[in-house]
Amino acid sequence: SSKQPTTARATNARTSTFYLPDTNHPTSAKNTAMNKEKNQTLFGGSRSWKAEDWTASDDRVRGGKSQSFLECHNSTGRFHGNLDIQTLGGAGFASQRTTGEDRSWDLSAYAGIVLDIAEADDKRYTFILKDELLPRNPDNGREQATISWEYDFKPCFGESSLEKGGLVFVPWSGLKPTYRGKEKEHADPINLKTIKRMSIMMRSFFGDQEGPFSLTLRSISAATSSPVEPGRLEQGAARSAASNTNRWTWYRQSFTVSGFEQLNLIER
């Protein structure tokens, strides 16, 4: 039987969708294989994780004491470290970003990014894209600021934590343009043909979280379609949504600036 998911609507809400496979359904393996053929693996998965693809970008450049690492194995990449918010008076960030200033990804044929998570804590993370990099400042050698396209997500929540793995889908429409940490109004659309950098960040969210953090990823991929039709669950069509997604169990989270707001669960 299907239960209608409750829906909480909020102004300017941002959503994160993740799911766990129903391994008992006979078509699960077949459809999973078909979806993989349509996706492009960017990091991990069949390409494995490589330490040289990533480098730390922490608040130490601003006098902070936060520190991040990306521990690479063939099948997983573990983003972990410690977020310190005392040194900078409640602020702080720790992140890992892709290396190389001449790299470029054409993601224009895809609908968004899929983060395949193997294990996670209960903290909130941010996935970031940049479509422009400027030459370093000739006076101090530092990177010059450009617009960042950000998406916040919290992969674990209560009993539905992803301790056994799951996926987070990052749709292009969910990316928020920011400049120097503040939302950028009237920004030009992101240029998906020339993505220059990707980052995974742990930040304080104005003092809301701090301390050790850990997020283990199997892969980061570009996906040609959303794992669930946008709005379908919000319209209450739980039975139809379940059939159209080949009996995968879906969890849908809504986020506002203040954090986690609503968890919707389809049970069968």
Side-chain angles (χ1 to χ4, degrees), residues 191-237:
N191 185 357
L192 294 170
K193 287 185 173 294
T194 56
I195 297 300
K196 300 293 187 180
R197 179 175 293 172
M198 305 180 199
S199 305
I200 305 173
M201 176 178 285
M202 163 57 56
R203 53 159 54 115
S204 69
F205 288 102
F206 304 101
D208 186 56
Q209 56 186 15
E210 62 179 313
F213 61 88
S214 179
L215 176 71
T216 302
L217 296 160
R218 293 190 184 93
S219 65
I220 300 175
S221 303
T224 56
S225 62
S226 169
V228 64
E229 292 184 36
R232 180 172 290 276
L233 294 186
E234 294 181 351
Q235 296 169 3

Side-chain angles (χ1 to χ4, degrees), residues 1-245:
S1 62
S2 297
K3 293 184 179 180
Q4 295 289 341
T6 58
T7 301
R9 295 183 180 275
T11 304
N12 297 324
R14 300 166 65 193
T15 62
S16 173
T17 304
F18 57 92
Y19 55 90
L20 302 176
D22 179 0
T23 55
N24 294 323
H25 193 267
T27 62
S28 290
K30 178 180 178 181
N31 284 280
T32 299
M34 291 176 62
N35 288 335
K36 285 184 177 180
E37 291 177 0
K38 297 178 181 179
N39 296 347
Q40 177 187 352
T41 301
L42 303 172
F43 301 97
S46 59
R47 303 175 66 91
S48 298
W49 288 89
K50 301 178 178 63
E52 58 267 26
D53 285 335
W54 300 87
T55 188
S57 180
D58 304 328
D59 61 20
R60 293 176 175 238
V61 298
R62 300 181 184 176
K65 294 183 179 179
S66 299
Q67 193 167 15
S68 70
F69 306 91
L70 191 68
E71 182 181 319
C72 294
H73 302 279
N74 286 336
S75 59
T76 60
R78 180 181 173 230
F79 172 52
H80 67 103
N82 185 72
L83 178 67
D84 171 77
I85 66 173
Q86 303 302 320
T87 304
L88 298 179
F93 67 90
S95 70
Q96 289 282 320
R97 64 167 178 81
T98 52
T99 54
E101 298 182 359
D102 57 349
R103 302 181 73 172
S104 182
W105 292 269
D106 182 354
L107 304 182
S108 58
Y110 301 93
I113 295 292
V114 173
L115 308 176
D116 188 346
I117 297 175
E119 188 175 356
D121 54 26
D122 61 353
K123 287 184 168 61
R124 187 152 51 124
Y125 294 83
T126 303
F127 181 77
I128 304 171
L129 295 178
K130 278 184 174 290
D131 61 358
E132 181 185 22
L133 297 178
L134 296 177
R136 292 181 178 272
N137 188 316
D139 296 330
N140 55 28
R142 294 182 179 179
E143 287 192 352
Q144 299 189 67
T146 58
I147 292 177
S148 295
W149 294 85
E150 303 183 350
Y151 188 84
D152 303 327
F153 64 96
K154 187 174 184 179
C156 295
F157 184 74
E159 295 180 355
S160 65
S161 65
L162 298 184
E163 294 175 353
K164 295 183 179 179
L167 306 183
V168 172
F169 180 66
V170 182
W172 304 141
S173 60
L175 294 170
K176 179 181 69 175
T178 65
Y179 182 76
R180 295 186 181 274
K182 296 182 179 180
E183 189 164 355
K184 175 72 172 178
E185 296 184 358
H186 311 299
D188 291 333
I190 185 172
N191 185 357
L192 294 170
K193 287 185 173 294
T194 56
I195 297 300
K196 300 293 187 180
R197 179 175 293 172
M198 305 180 199
S199 305
I200 305 173
M201 176 178 285
M202 163 57 56
R203 53 159 54 115
S204 69
F205 288 102
F206 304 101
D208 186 56
Q209 56 186 15
E210 62 179 313
F213 61 88
S214 179
L215 176 71
T216 302
L217 296 160
R218 293 190 184 93
S219 65
I220 300 175
S221 303
T224 56
S225 62
S226 169
V228 64
E229 292 184 36
R232 180 172 290 276
L233 294 186
E234 294 181 351
Q235 296 169 3
R239 185 181 302 276
S240 178
S243 63
N244 284 348
T245 53

